[in-house]
Amino acid sequence: MQIPKDIYDAMIAHAQEGFPLEVCGYLGGVKENGEICVRKHYMLTNTDKSNEHFTMDPKEQFETFKDAKAHNLSLLVCYHSHPESPARPSDEDIRLAYDPNINYTILSLQERNAPVMKAFWIQNGQVSHEEIKII
């Protein structure tokens, strides 16, 4: 997966601004030669206002889908932060990963001064790692 540096930085800023709660959002993009190429960042509201789980605001989700379609993008990545735990899917993250065609990216702020972002495919409860390239 390729993420432009400005979007990567915006994702980290989103997580830090939302700390100590989880933040969430989507990344819109295209697939080129089978690789996700991120083009747009969508910050959504975590309606749970929790540091352990998130629910995306349904109205914002709908607007995000409309905007992505209008820009000929697909929502290829769902991301959220882990304010106090590592950048790996929790049991809940795995259980709630309903779409096997979307990448699940987690940004850990466990070490506040050294955020860690990792990307995963979750299919039928199986987790595999996806490389992130900051461009």
Side-chain angles (χ1 to χ4, degrees):
M1 171 177 14
Q2 296 181 10
I3 302 177
K5 176 123 175 48
D6 62 326
I7 292 177
Y8 173 81
D9 291 344
M11 293 170 70
I12 290 173
H14 184 208
Q16 289 174 331
E17 289 164 11
F19 187 88
L21 305 178
E22 286 194 8
V23 301
C24 53
Y26 285 111
L27 300 178
V30 297
K31 278 197 173 181
E32 295 177 358
N33 300 318
E35 183 172 38
I36 294 173
C37 298
V38 174
R39 302 282 188 259
K40 194 160 185 183
H41 175 216
Y42 298 95
M43 294 184 291
L44 278 75
T45 301
N46 176 2
T47 60
D48 290 342
K49 296 181 175 38
S50 169
N51 66 335
E52 295 180 344
H53 50 87
F54 72 96
T55 299
M56 292 179 170
D57 179 285
K59 183 177 184 230
E60 291 176 356
Q61 278 186 294
F62 182 69
E63 292 301 319
T64 298
F65 281 103
K66 284 185 1 185
D67 184 82
K69 186 175 182 176
H71 288 93
N72 295 316
L73 300 174
S74 297
L75 297 179
L76 300 172
V77 178
C78 175
Y79 80 89
H80 71 282
S81 65
H82 280 184
E84 301 165 354
S85 60
R88 65 173 177 252
S90 66
D91 291 342
E92 181 176 325
D93 293 335
I94 295 168
R95 184 173 48 81
L96 296 176
Y98 295 114
D99 188 345
N101 299 309
I102 197 165
N103 184 276
Y104 295 91
T105 296
I106 300 172
L107 177 66
S108 172
L109 294 180
Q110 189 173 24
E111 298 294 328
R112 286 292 307 275
N113 296 325
V116 175
M117 186 183 299
K118 294 186 179 178
F120 305 91
W121 293 103
I122 305 174
Q123 300 169 329
N124 299 318
Q126 300 299 309
V127 178
S128 60
H129 186 262
E130 168 82 6
E131 181 184 357
I132 298 174
K133 298 174 198 162
I134 309 303
I135 57 170

